[in-house]
């Protein structure tokens, strides 16, 4: 499929390129080329510009502040913005827009979409995700955080873990057990919970890079309004699966472009260090090239499904498995190319806690080593690689479920 076909797509591509030209300064090479002190300001300006154009949530209806773009236009927008190194809003926008917003359009009552979606786009409501718990990670249905009905309120008690960006958020979509007597998958609801209230404590967790991007969140008689339920009460499991489909699938369009940019940067590093004649390095670079092309084909397949009006399904697990395992191996190669320099890295570290460094970033050892450390987390968050393989086997290939272990006395 050639996404450049069609006069309408090309007219829209010209519109996007004009938008980019007005937004960026002369000599633009991507947000990663900006001094660290300027990146946040540019990201905020570009977010406002995208919101004003309706492109911060390009596939949402215009009535909610979205762009109402066709799938073909969406693909063009992603190609051009990602290729130019323009950030798609803030990190938390992936939770509020890509995950929650798209899920609400399919599962929430109109009164909730009318209230929340415009405020998410304006930045008034900043969301984080409240799914995992100390005892409920891969086995999400075993979650223990309880929400008990008390008149017009839900009262929440329990803990969430690995909540990325919760320290920057003022709202959280929370999977809570609202019917303890029901089977595990049937007594769960998805609630929208304000974080700026007594009874909520957000504790940042320092990761291996020294950053504090994710958190543990404690609820001690915290409350939310009884009507702030996405989907049906006790019917939150299918809502959560819809959201996870968007979490795993929303990267399929822009991630291959970022991974290609990153691989090209690694090839530059190989040349700088005169390693182009090393047969092992050449073999490993060739393998990475094949993987990035596979990712690109997955992205095109996702675009085809979007054009047919189909939301991401269990096949999104294949893309998540492919990119996360690929990125772990790619960054292993980068550290080997750096050699001893990886032990005492210099330069700017990557500002991102997932995927690649920002487009335009310098080929510094600190950039590569920080991305290397973060790449390990990519095989865990949004579902471990083992979980993705189970999803692919059971829901895509139709294989029988993995047998449960026999309890021992």
């Amino acid at each position: 499929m050639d996404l450049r076909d069609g006069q309408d797509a090309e007219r829209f591509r010209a519109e996007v390129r004009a938008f980019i030209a007005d937004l960026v300064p002369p000599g633009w090479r991507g947000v990663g080329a900006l001094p660290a002190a300027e990146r946040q300001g540019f990201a905020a300006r570009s977010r406002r510009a995208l919101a004003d154009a309706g492109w911060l949530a390009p596939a949402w209806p215009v009535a909610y502040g979205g762009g109402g773009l066709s799938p073909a236009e969406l693909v063009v927008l992603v190609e051009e913005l990602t290729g130019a190194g323009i950030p798609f809003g803030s990190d938390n926008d992936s939770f509020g827009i890509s995950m929650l917003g798209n899920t609400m359009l399919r599962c929430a009552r109109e009164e909730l979409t009318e209230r929340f979606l415009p405020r998410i786009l304006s930045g008034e409501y900043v969301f984080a995700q409240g799914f995992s718990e100390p005892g409920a990670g891969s086995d999400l249905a075993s979650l223990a955080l309880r929400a008990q009905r008390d008149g017009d309120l839900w009262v929440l008690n329990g803990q969430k873990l690995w909540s990325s960006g919760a320290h920057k958020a003022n709202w959280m979509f929370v999977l809570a057990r609202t019917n303890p007597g029901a089977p595990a998958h049937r007594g769960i609801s998805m609630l929208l919970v304000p974080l700026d209230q007594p009874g909520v404590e957000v504790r940042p967790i320092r990761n291996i890079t020294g950053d504090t991007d994710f958190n543990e969140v404690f609820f001690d008689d915290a409350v939310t309004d009884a009507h702030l339920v996405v989907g049906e009460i006790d019917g939150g499991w299918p809502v959560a699966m819809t959201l996870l489909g968007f979490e795993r699938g929303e990267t399929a369009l822009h991630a291959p472009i970022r991974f290609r940019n990153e691989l090209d940067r690694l090839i530059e590093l190989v040349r700088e260090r005169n390693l182009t004649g090393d047969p092992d390095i050449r073999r490993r670079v060739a393998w990475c090239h094949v993987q990035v092309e596979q990712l690109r084909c997955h992205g095109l397949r996702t675009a085809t499904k979007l054009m047919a009006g189909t939301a991401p399904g269990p096949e999104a697990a294949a893309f998540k498995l492919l990119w996360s395992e690929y990125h772990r191996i790619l960054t292993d190669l980068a550290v080997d190319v750096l050699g001893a320099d990886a032990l005492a890295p210099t330069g700017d570290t990557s500002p991102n806690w997932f995927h690649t460094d920002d487009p335009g970033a310098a080929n510094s050892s600190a950039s590569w080593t920080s991305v290397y450390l973060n790449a390990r987390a990519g095989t865990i968050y949004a579902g471990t690689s083992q979980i993705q393989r189970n999803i692919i086997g059971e829901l895509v290939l139709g294989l029988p479920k993995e047998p449960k272990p026999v309890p021992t006395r």
Side-chain angles (χ1 to χ4, degrees):
M1 179 179 63
D2 188 347
L3 299 175
R4 294 168 295 183
D5 283 349
Q7 293 183 352
D8 290 342
E10 286 310 297
R11 279 195 295 267
F12 184 67
R13 191 180 299 275
E15 181 181 346
V16 177
R17 288 178 177 175
F19 170 87
I20 293 171
D22 289 339
L23 180 65
V24 303
W28 175 259
R29 293 188 293 115
V31 67
L34 292 176
E38 297 179 17
R39 292 182 189 179
Q40 188 172 0
F42 177 81
R45 291 195 303 275
S46 64
R47 188 190 190 280
R48 287 193 298 270
L50 287 169
D52 291 343
W55 294 347
L56 193 58
W60 287 10
V62 175
Y64 297 124
L69 299 187
S70 69
E73 290 172 326
L74 174 61
V75 171
V76 168
L77 180 69
V78 170
E79 283 185 333
E80 293 297 325
L81 292 180
T82 306
I86 307 295
F88 271 89
S90 68
D91 289 340
N92 287 76
D93 283 332
S94 63
F95 304 114
I97 296 174
S98 300
M99 298 183 206
L100 178 62
N102 286 328
T103 301
M104 290 183 71
L105 286 169
R106 287 163 173 78
C107 304
R109 301 184 308 279
E110 187 174 354
E111 63 180 273
L112 290 186
T113 57
E114 288 179 347
R115 172 184 170 183
F116 278 85
L117 297 193
R119 288 174 171 84
I120 290 172
L121 292 185
S122 71
E124 179 182 351
Y125 290 174
V126 180
F127 270 89
Q129 182 177 13
F131 276 21
S132 296
E133 299 180 6
S138 296
D139 183 17
L140 185 58
S142 64
L143 64 89
L145 183 144
R146 291 198 178 188
Q148 185 174 1
R149 186 71 176 266
D150 183 9
D152 293 333
L153 298 172
W154 292 103
V155 181
L156 288 80
N157 285 281
Q159 179 185 357
K160 291 298 179 181
L161 192 61
W162 313 124
S163 298
S164 301
H167 58 302
K168 301 176 182 177
N170 54 20
W171 282 84
M172 176 177 281
F173 51 91
V174 175
L175 276 189
R177 191 159 300 284
T178 47
N179 187 349
H185 292 81
R186 298 180 185 174
I188 294 171
S189 303
M190 184 184 288
L191 310 180
L192 305 179
V193 181
L195 296 181
D196 294 339
Q197 62 165 303
V200 176
E201 181 182 1
V202 179
R203 297 181 188 171
I205 301 171
R206 191 170 301 279
N207 64 22
I208 195 171
T209 67
D211 296 325
T212 53
D213 299 305
F214 43 72
N215 310 263
E216 53 186 346
V217 183
F218 296 87
F219 298 88
D220 183 9
D221 286 339
V223 298
T224 192
D225 292 340
H227 69 282
L228 297 184
V229 182
V230 180
E232 300 297 325
I233 296 174
D234 299 338
W237 187 255
V239 179
M241 294 304 100
T242 298
L243 185 142
L244 289 175
F246 284 114
E247 180 179 20
R248 294 164 183 157
E250 62 92 17
T251 60
L253 295 181
H254 66 79
I257 303 172
R258 291 183 66 106
F259 285 131
R260 169 53 63 188
N261 177 285
E262 179 185 58
L263 179 57
D264 289 344
R265 192 157 58 89
L266 178 58
I267 292 171
E268 290 178 12
L269 187 68
V270 170
R271 291 188 177 121
E272 289 170 6
R273 292 178 176 250
N274 298 316
L275 294 173
T276 54
D278 185 307
D280 183 59
I281 297 293
R282 291 174 66 89
R283 176 188 60 80
R284 293 164 71 183
V285 168
W287 181 88
C288 290
H289 169 77
V290 172
Q291 302 308 304
V292 171
E293 285 301 297
Q294 286 194 64
L295 289 168
R296 184 179 66 85
C297 291
H298 270 280
L300 292 176
R301 184 170 65 180
T302 298
T304 303
K305 291 174 70 67
L306 287 171
M307 290 178 179
T310 305
E315 68 280 356
F319 182 80
K320 199 277 177 178
L321 176 65
L322 179 60
W323 77 251
S324 59
E325 292 295 336
Y326 155 77
H327 203 221
R328 179 179 59 82
I329 296 170
L330 176 282
T331 55
D332 281 345
L333 172 57
V335 168
D336 288 345
V337 170
L338 287 170
D341 288 342
L343 299 177
T346 58
D348 290 335
T349 60
S350 170
N352 289 315
W353 48 269
F354 64 98
H355 293 161
T356 70
D357 203 344
D358 285 329
N363 244 342
S364 71
S365 54
S367 167
W368 281 112
T369 53
S370 60
V371 171
Y372 162 82
L373 293 172
N374 277 327
R376 272 75 197 139
T379 64
I380 300 172
Y381 61 68
T384 65
S385 291
Q386 292 81 359
I387 290 296
Q388 306 307 325
R389 292 186 180 102
N390 283 345
I391 292 172
I392 294 166
E394 296 171 14
L395 300 181
V396 178
L397 301 179
L399 300 177
K401 287 182 176 292
E402 188 172 331
K404 295 183 178 180
V406 178
T408 58
R409 292 183 180 271

